[in-house]
Amino acid sequence: EKKEEDKDKSDTDRENDEVRDARVKFLKKLKDDKKLPAFDALAADLLAAFPAHLPLLKEVLARGDVDGEEGEAAPAKQERVARALHAAAAVVAAAGVDALAAHYGLKHDKEQDLALKAKCKEMDDRKAALLDALLARVERLAELLEAAPSAAALPGVSLDGIVPDGKTPLEELKGAWTLLQQWCVAKDQTLDVQQRYSKVLCAVYRRDGRAGEAGGGGGRRRT
C-alpha cells in the first residue's frame, strides 16, 4: 500500500526513495556493528545525494554524538565535539523550525483524516529529532568548557569555528539553551530526555550565576 505522501510520485521516484531508505537503514547496522569507516564512507555518499534528508542526518548525528574515552586528549575531544555540533546543526536545519512552529501553533483533529494523521506523525518525528539535536548541542558545547562555574575553554581546546567571532563561550551556551527551551517542555518528555535536560540546565545556570536555580543534575554526560 502506498504511503499518502507517495501517491503523486512516479514509480521511478518511489523506487529511488526505497533504495535510499534501505541504505540509510544499513547505516544504522554499520554503526551498531562498530564498522565506522564503512559507515563514514556510505554516509558521505548519501549526504552528497540527499543533504537534507532528516532520517539520514539523524543517523549521522547518532554516529557523531558520542562520549569520549577516559583520558581523551584535548585535540581529540575538540574534533569529536565539533563533529557532533556540525551534525546537530544539520538536523536542526532539516527539521524545519518554522514549519514545526506553524504546525504546533494549531489544533489538529486528525482522527478522521488519514493524510493529516500521517502529517502529524511526521511532525512529531521531526520535533523529536530537533529536540535531540538541540540537547546534543548544549551538552557538547558544555563538554569543551572547564567545570562550572567557569565558562572558559578547557586547556588545549580551541573554540575557533565552534563559538562565532564576537561571542563568548557562555553567550553561545546560553543561546543554545534558549533555543532548546523554546521546544522542550521537560515534564512531557521521556525519562532520558528529562535527565539530559536537567543536566544541561545545571550546566548553564551554574555558569550563569544562577546556581541556586540549578537543582540536581542527572543523565549521561559530564557538563
Side-chain angles (χ1 to χ4, degrees):
E1 184 178 352
K2 290 184 180 180
K3 296 179 182 178
E4 192 68 30
E5 62 269 24
D6 287 346
K7 287 185 176 180
D8 295 329
K9 291 185 177 181
S10 69
D11 288 343
T12 298
D13 287 340
R14 291 177 58 221
E15 179 184 1
N16 290 338
D17 287 350
E18 291 285 347
V19 171
R20 176 202 62 200
D21 294 347
R23 297 180 79 194
V24 171
K25 184 177 179 180
F26 188 59
L27 272 180
K28 185 177 187 306
K29 185 175 187 333
L30 290 174
K31 177 174 66 69
D32 293 343
D33 292 344
K34 301 189 185 306
K35 296 179 178 179
L36 300 184
F39 178 103
D40 292 341
L42 178 55
D45 186 35
L46 286 167
L47 286 169
F50 310 103
H53 185 54
L54 188 57
L56 168 60
L57 297 173
K58 287 166 58 179
E59 290 300 331
V60 173
L61 176 58
R63 154 78 171 97
D65 186 29
V66 294
D67 293 331
E69 297 180 358
E70 188 71 26
E72 181 182 38
K77 181 189 292 286
Q78 180 179 326
E79 180 179 354
R80 174 177 55 79
V81 170
R83 178 175 186 161
L85 291 173
H86 179 77
V91 170
V92 171
V97 171
D98 290 343
L100 285 170
H103 175 80
Y104 286 104
L106 298 173
K107 184 176 180 180
H108 300 284
D109 183 8
K110 59 188 178 183
E111 294 307 317
Q112 303 302 320
D113 189 331
L114 293 180
L116 179 58
K117 191 172 184 177
K119 184 65 174 179
C120 287
K121 183 182 183 307
E122 177 198 344
M123 288 297 184
D124 287 346
D125 290 345
R126 286 167 64 175
K127 183 179 178 182
L130 175 66
L131 284 178
D132 184 58
L134 294 174
L135 276 165
R137 185 182 174 201
V138 184
E139 289 168 334
R140 295 307 171 189
L141 280 169
E143 191 179 354
L144 293 182
L145 306 180
E146 293 181 342
S150 173
L154 286 168
V157 165
S158 171
L159 298 179
D160 291 346
I162 295 174
V163 175
D165 292 342
K167 294 185 72 173
T168 67
L170 180 58
E171 288 171 340
E172 181 70 3
L173 184 69
K174 288 170 62 178
W177 166 249
T178 297
L179 184 55
L180 172 62
Q181 285 184 299
Q182 292 173 3
W183 287 98
C184 186
V185 179
K187 66 180 179 62
D188 296 338
Q189 307 304 320
T190 64
L191 179 59
D192 176 64
V193 171
Q194 288 181 28
Q195 290 176 331
R196 292 173 67 188
Y197 184 91
S198 176
K199 193 173 183 186
V200 297
L201 181 152
C202 291
V204 176
Y205 280 15
R206 290 173 63 203
R207 290 178 170 91
D208 195 31
R210 302 165 67 183
E213 302 174 52
R220 57 181 180 150
R221 292 167 181 166
R222 170 196 172 277
T223 50

